Amino acid sequence: MAIQASQKNASAIRKAAVIGSGVMGAGIAAHLANAGMRVVLLDVVPQTLTAEEERQGLTLADAKVRNRLAATAVARMGKATPAQLYDPSWTSRITPGNLDDHLAALSEADWIVEAVVERLDIKREVLAKIEAARSPGTIVSTNTSGLSAASMVEGRSEEFRRHFGVTHFFNPPRYMKLVEIVGTAETSPEVIRLLTDICEQRLGKGVVLAKDTPNFIANRIGTYGMLITLEDTLAFGLTVEEADALTGPAMGRPKTATLRMLDLVGLDTLLHVVDNVRERSNDPAEQAIFARPPLLERLAASGRLGEKTGAGFYRKVKGKGGSEIETLRLDTLEYGPKRPVSSPVIDASKAAKGAAGKVNALLRTDPRDRYAKFAWSTIKKTLLYAAAQVGIIADSISDIDRAMRWGFNWELGPFELWDAIGLRDSVQRMQKEGDTIPAWVSAWLEAGNESFYKTEGSERVYAASGAYKREETEADSISIAALKASGKTVFSTSGASLIDIGDDVALLEFHSQNNAIGGDILSAITQSAKEVSQNWRGLVLANEGRNFCVGANLMLLLMEAQSGEWDEVEEIIRFFQSSMLQLKRLDRPVVAAPHRMTLGGGVEACLPADQIIYSPETYFGLVETGVGLIPAGGGCKEAAAMAAERALAASGGKPGGDLQPHLNLLFETIALAKASSSGFEVSRLGLMRPQDRVIMRQEARIAEAKRAVLELDRAGYSPPAEGRIRVAGREGSAVLKVAVQAMRLGGHISEHDALIAGKLGAVLAGGDIQPGAEVSEQYLLDLECEAFLSLCGERKTQERMSHMLATGKPLRN
């Protein structure tokens, strides 16, 4: 029996049902499984047999046929790219079925998600079936990108309507942070709260509350922005390349910009969204804004819908040198070679730092420039439109900004962008150009306010109903930026800062370029270790960069190696090793909280910590072999120690357990430069320790790491004693060498790969010593350093390093 709504909290949602196994339904089902829920995935019963089913002698009555749609969706999950599941084996959490035979399963569900095709009549039909099967009190939500929630539940019972709302996931559900939650006038506030808690706490999402209006928040403003950009592209006579060069990172938006984004979304999909707003609006001005652009209609009529049909504003063609990208000529609708775009305005934007700096450079470098005029026109119209929607699509400008950041990956939401370019000055310019300013914005300025947002202490406040209101922070989150803004920085260097995060816990934040580890960060680690030992209860390693850390400063290493400055290279390695040992030997607890790309040196910075709190989207790996090197900041030493600890545990604590199988896994992981595709997969790669764990909400990782520090401190923390590490020795090294030789003879790796792997195996096994010997940490660090230095001197390694720096991709040579 399902848990009643009045008894539910987010943690009590254990069983879910998803209706519809298409792209969105399957993605939602996969992410519910990621959160540990047991999921029933249902779809319609097929009306015809496939050719393969006919060959197998199946009939329409066979369960395999009747469950085909959902079962096929589940089978694809484990192989999907990008991955839908944190671990492919979690398909076992999802049971496929069909709406005719398995509807009764809905009575056991704690949450039912309807995700069928975007047609009101079909959704109504499915919701009627759900009502007949669900237990009273079970929450039901629909995944829709903008259909009317109230219209969907017409004819349903009052009890059903109270427990119904919209949970609009963005695609792909695993990766996109935004969920728009929408209730009707009859939806219980308790249901909205519960759906919010589930999405935030269990699924790790960012929730905004939208009103039941066409296309809600993000798609409404995002679609308007695309239409205006297309209109201005034609009005200013810009090319496809020029429009995207100006509306991507130059405006603090993704590289997909506008027209490339249209191709990815699909021109037919955009036209559907446009139609939905226009047809549901009673405002002639709004209907005119959302009229179908003739250009899009012509492209759609010719079958050019974007990436799904191979051509839209861009198309990929085979040329003499491989695939080439062509762009649409907007005057002839023919294609031609993609053309580079450059101008002083664009160059100034590229050189500027941060989204605010880039957009100001774009608008102000030369306001008379055609590109600057285009940028101002599109930005101005989008800002005015967003302001006009306050109170219509959402009550909060904070929710509107979050929706655009989380749903469209804008670095700044519209009101944050307005502040960045200067609210009062920009409004005065708009007025001079004859634009109508929304009354509430004019009133806000007349009251003497200069911005929509400002910081008070460590909190941000925003404009709301004529006064500043405290912005709700995401539950259980700690903002490093807000702490720094409120003066909580203990010290700061060019590469890192130590910050007070409360309760006598300090946080070390990397902020070098790409958070790559160089001397500045290593010096900050040394300084932090001394400061924390004297004055703090513990240390958290975390940051809010795009990635936690992409590794060591490869450029510096390459320059020293090419110059033959081997003493300098060794000094860098020794400094790295000693810094990591300082973290490991610190007499205060250390907890690392990595996120996204945590590679090479980034992993080595985490492994000395007493505990690692992974976010689900952590891509964790010792990948140095990809640039012709091996881990030498303690990574090999820590891997050897993990193998020894696992052998001891496997033998029930008795000395002499077999090291080889544990060593083999770690050797394969490091030699093949494997990185996890999620925080959960770190375990399968052999790099997760028993005390480490993954939390679903990335935004909670710093708060969780802080709690772990405090718990270790309360338990009477003492640093791990420097023990001896049992190694496999020459016999273990020989086993690894045989595997390397087999791969080399089979043509799976190059000669240089074999050289690197051989040195790696020797270090992990402890070198040419007696099997089972116990060695010191320093002994293994010396082996790391020696192997690293020898590989740095190899011409092919230097070629790999140069290629990685130039292209961002590994070189096989």
Side-chain angles (χ1 to χ4, degrees):
M1 191 73 172
I3 305 170
Q4 296 299 297
S6 60
Q7 302 171 319
K8 289 177 183 174
N9 55 42
S11 61
I13 305 300
R14 298 185 179 93
K15 296 179 181 179
V18 178
I19 314 299
S21 64
V23 171
M24 287 306 299
I28 293 167
H31 199 57
L32 301 188
N34 284 335
M37 299 181 195
R38 293 287 170 179
V39 184
V40 174
L41 179 61
L42 305 182
D43 211 319
V44 296
V45 175
Q47 299 300 305
T48 58
L49 295 172
T50 64
E52 178 60 27
E53 287 167 345
E54 288 180 346
R55 280 193 294 272
Q56 294 177 14
L58 298 174
T59 71
L60 291 174
D62 287 307
K64 187 174 181 180
V65 175
R66 295 175 70 79
N67 298 338
R68 183 214 307 151
L69 296 179
T72 300
V74 173
R76 287 174 179 160
M77 287 176 193
K79 306 170 186 175
T81 303
Q84 294 178 314
L85 293 161
Y86 292 142
D87 187 314
S89 68
W90 290 354
T91 53
S92 62
R93 297 176 177 176
I94 306 172
T95 302
N98 68 75
L99 280 168
D100 287 357
D101 303 330
H102 306 109
L103 201 60
L106 300 188
S107 66
E108 298 295 321
D110 302 315
W111 178 24
I112 301 169
V113 183
E114 172 272 303
V116 301
V117 66
E118 286 280 277
R119 275 182 48 184
L120 185 59
D121 58 337
I122 294 177
K123 285 185 177 287
R124 283 174 169 168
E125 180 182 336
V126 171
L127 290 174
K129 290 184 177 182
I130 291 172
E131 181 172 24
R134 70 187 266 277
S135 296
T138 301
I139 52 172
V140 179
S141 68
T142 177
N143 184 74
T144 175
S145 59
L147 294 179
S148 167
S151 297
M152 283 187 214
V153 289
E154 288 179 3
R156 305 277 62 78
S157 69
E158 180 185 350
E159 188 274 340
F160 186 94
R161 297 197 301 271
R162 284 202 314 272
H163 291 86
F164 176 80
V166 172
T167 47
H168 177 210
F169 290 82
F170 275 61
N171 190 37
R174 168 181 162 178
Y175 299 95
M176 294 301 291
K177 181 174 177 177
L178 179 62
V179 174
E180 294 175 318
I181 290 183
V182 185
T184 71
E186 297 176 273
T187 306
S188 163
E190 183 65 20
V191 168
I192 296 296
R193 181 202 61 76
L194 181 56
L195 286 172
T196 300
D197 288 349
I198 294 168
C199 291
E200 289 182 344
Q201 297 172 21
R202 295 292 302 280
L203 304 182
K205 296 301 176 188
V207 170
V208 298
L209 299 180
K211 292 180 179 290
D212 191 9
T213 56
N215 299 104
F216 310 133
I217 301 174
N219 281 342
R220 179 77 163 263
I221 293 176
T223 300
Y224 174 83
M226 290 180 182
L227 293 176
I228 286 300
T229 299
L230 181 58
E231 179 182 285
D232 280 354
T233 297
L234 298 173
F236 282 85
L238 268 57
T239 65
V240 167
E241 297 94 329
E242 289 172 326
D244 277 355
L246 292 164
T247 60
M251 284 188 183
R253 298 175 189 173
K255 291 180 181 179
T256 46
T258 300
L259 303 182
R260 174 65 181 135
M261 175 65 80
L262 277 174
D263 275 1
L264 292 173
V265 169
L267 273 58
D268 55 338
T269 300
L270 182 80
L271 289 170
H272 171 76
V273 173
V274 167
D275 291 344
N276 186 49
V277 178
R278 188 183 65 257
E279 291 167 3
R280 289 181 58 192
S281 174
N282 296 318
D283 180 359
E286 182 103 72
Q287 291 171 344
I289 288 170
F290 284 88
R292 284 181 157 225
L295 175 60
L296 294 189
E297 288 193 304
R298 290 176 65 188
L299 290 173
S302 64
R304 290 180 280 184
L305 303 178
E307 192 167 87
K308 68 178 74 175
T309 59
F313 288 100
Y314 294 83
R315 75 174 182 182
K316 186 182 291 187
V317 295
K318 290 184 178 179
K320 294 179 181 179
S323 294
E324 297 176 354
I325 301 295
E326 292 184 339
T327 55
L328 187 71
R329 304 304 188 245
L330 297 175
D331 51 352
T332 66
L333 299 193
E334 300 296 330
Y335 292 91
K338 186 178 179 182
R339 298 164 293 194
V341 179
S342 180
S343 82
V345 168
I346 292 176
D347 292 343
S349 178
K350 286 180 179 178
K353 291 186 177 180
K358 289 182 181 299
V359 76
N360 275 304
L362 188 64
L363 297 177
R364 294 176 180 169
T365 300
D366 182 359
R368 299 166 299 176
D369 183 275
R370 183 168 61 108
Y371 289 167
K373 289 180 179 179
F374 165 84
W376 167 248
S377 178
T378 60
I379 288 172
K380 174 182 71 171
K381 293 171 185 174
T382 302
L383 298 183
L384 290 171
Y385 183 76
Q389 301 312 305
V390 174
I392 297 174
I393 61 175
D395 289 327
S396 159
I397 67 166
S398 175
D399 272 351
I400 292 174
D401 280 345
R402 289 180 180 189
M404 299 315 297
R405 291 201 313 268
W406 297 341
F408 276 71
N409 292 320
W410 290 10
E411 290 188 49
L412 298 171
F415 299 98
E416 293 167 324
L417 177 59
W418 211 334
D419 278 354
I421 65 174
L423 175 57
R424 188 172 295 277
D425 289 346
S426 61
V427 166
Q428 288 174 352
R429 181 177 175 183
M430 293 171 187
Q431 289 172 327
K432 287 178 182 178
E433 294 172 358
D435 295 301
T436 301
I437 310 301
W440 76 268
V441 175
S442 296
W444 183 251
L445 287 169
E446 288 167 5
N449 299 299
E450 298 297 325
S451 63
F452 291 120
Y453 292 92
K454 67 178 181 178
T455 301
E456 293 182 350
S458 61
E459 295 181 334
R460 191 165 82 150
V461 294
Y462 67 93
S465 301
Y468 280 112
K469 178 180 179 181
R470 184 179 66 84
E471 186 173 42
E472 293 289 333
T473 57
E474 293 183 75
D476 204 25
S477 66
I478 291 175
S479 168
I480 296 174
L483 289 169
K484 290 170 75 173
S486 62
K488 296 296 184 180
T489 301
V490 180
F491 73 78
S492 186
T493 71
S494 59
S497 296
L498 189 70
I499 300 152
D500 177 0
I501 59 172
D503 297 313
D504 295 324
V505 177
L507 177 144
L508 182 60
E509 172 204 30
F510 300 165
H511 48 65
S512 62
Q513 185 174 2
N514 293 322
N515 287 344
I517 297 177
D520 49 0
I521 287 180
L522 297 176
S523 295
I525 289 173
T526 298
Q527 187 177 349
S528 296
K530 183 177 180 180
E531 166 69 23
V532 171
S533 176
Q534 293 175 348
N535 301 310
W536 302 82
R537 295 172 70 182
L539 178 67
V540 169
L541 300 175
N543 61 68
E544 292 174 336
R546 177 172 175 77
N547 299 298
F548 176 78
C549 177
V550 298
N553 187 332
L554 195 59
M555 175 64 79
L556 176 62
L557 284 169
L558 178 61
M559 288 172 60
E560 299 289 8
Q562 289 178 332
S563 301
E565 300 289 346
W566 301 116
D567 288 344
E568 294 292 331
V569 175
E570 182 172 0
E571 185 177 336
I572 292 169
I573 299 167
R574 295 298 187 186
F575 190 17
F576 202 132
Q577 292 178 340
S578 67
S579 300
M580 298 306 105
L581 278 179
Q582 283 183 299
L583 287 175
K584 187 166 186 176
R585 300 287 172 238
L586 188 62
D587 58 356
R588 298 286 186 267
V590 179
V591 177
H595 67 286
R596 292 184 59 82
M597 289 174 62
T598 304
L599 305 175
V603 172
E604 290 178 304
C606 291
L607 291 177
D610 298 288
Q611 189 174 6
I612 302 174
I613 306 293
Y614 295 96
S615 80
E617 299 299 339
T618 306
Y619 317 129
F620 197 82
L622 292 164
V623 297
E624 286 86 346
T625 60
V627 290
L629 299 168
I630 68 163
C636 290
K637 179 258 295 181
E638 291 296 326
M642 280 190 263
E645 289 165 3
R646 288 166 190 167
L648 184 64
S651 65
K654 297 177 182 178
D658 188 2
L659 281 164
Q660 199 67 51
H662 310 288
L663 193 62
N664 291 349
L665 172 60
L666 287 161
F667 171 75
E668 179 182 326
T669 291
I670 301 171
L672 297 180
K674 291 183 178 180
S676 68
S677 63
S678 73
F680 293 95
E681 199 188 18
V682 177
S683 179
R684 290 204 299 120
L685 297 184
L687 294 173
M688 187 178 285
R689 306 163 309 179
Q691 68 267 36
D692 302 334
R693 55 197 170 88
V694 187
I695 61 170
M696 279 295 290
R697 288 191 62 236
Q698 175 170 303
E699 290 70 22
R701 72 189 187 284
I702 297 174
E704 187 64 26
K706 176 183 170 181
R707 276 194 291 271
V709 164
L710 293 172
E711 183 57 38
L712 287 166
D713 177 65
R714 281 193 290 269
Y717 178 79
S718 60
E722 183 176 355
R724 310 280 290 178
I725 299 171
R726 183 168 163 264
V727 295
R730 62 179 68 95
E731 289 185 6
S733 180
V735 170
L736 299 178
K737 284 180 180 177
V738 169
V740 172
Q741 290 169 357
M743 292 189 72
R744 176 72 186 102
L745 292 172
H748 301 295
I749 60 174
S750 70
E751 184 177 341
H752 193 54
D753 289 328
L755 173 68
I756 300 162
K759 290 183 179 293
L760 172 66
V763 174
L764 291 175
D768 187 18
I769 60 173
Q770 184 69 25
E774 294 186 346
V775 301
S776 68
E777 288 187 78
Q778 190 58 54
Y779 171 85
L780 289 171
L781 291 173
D782 290 342
L783 289 182
E784 282 185 1
C785 184
E786 179 185 350
F788 190 95
L789 283 168
S790 69
L791 288 168
C792 271
E794 294 284 339
R795 176 181 57 82
K796 289 187 175 181
T797 284
Q798 294 181 17
E799 289 173 354
R800 288 189 179 195
M801 294 167 74
S802 296
H803 190 268
M804 177 61 74
L805 287 167
T807 68
K809 298 177 182 178
L811 171 69
R812 292 297 302 276
N813 59 353

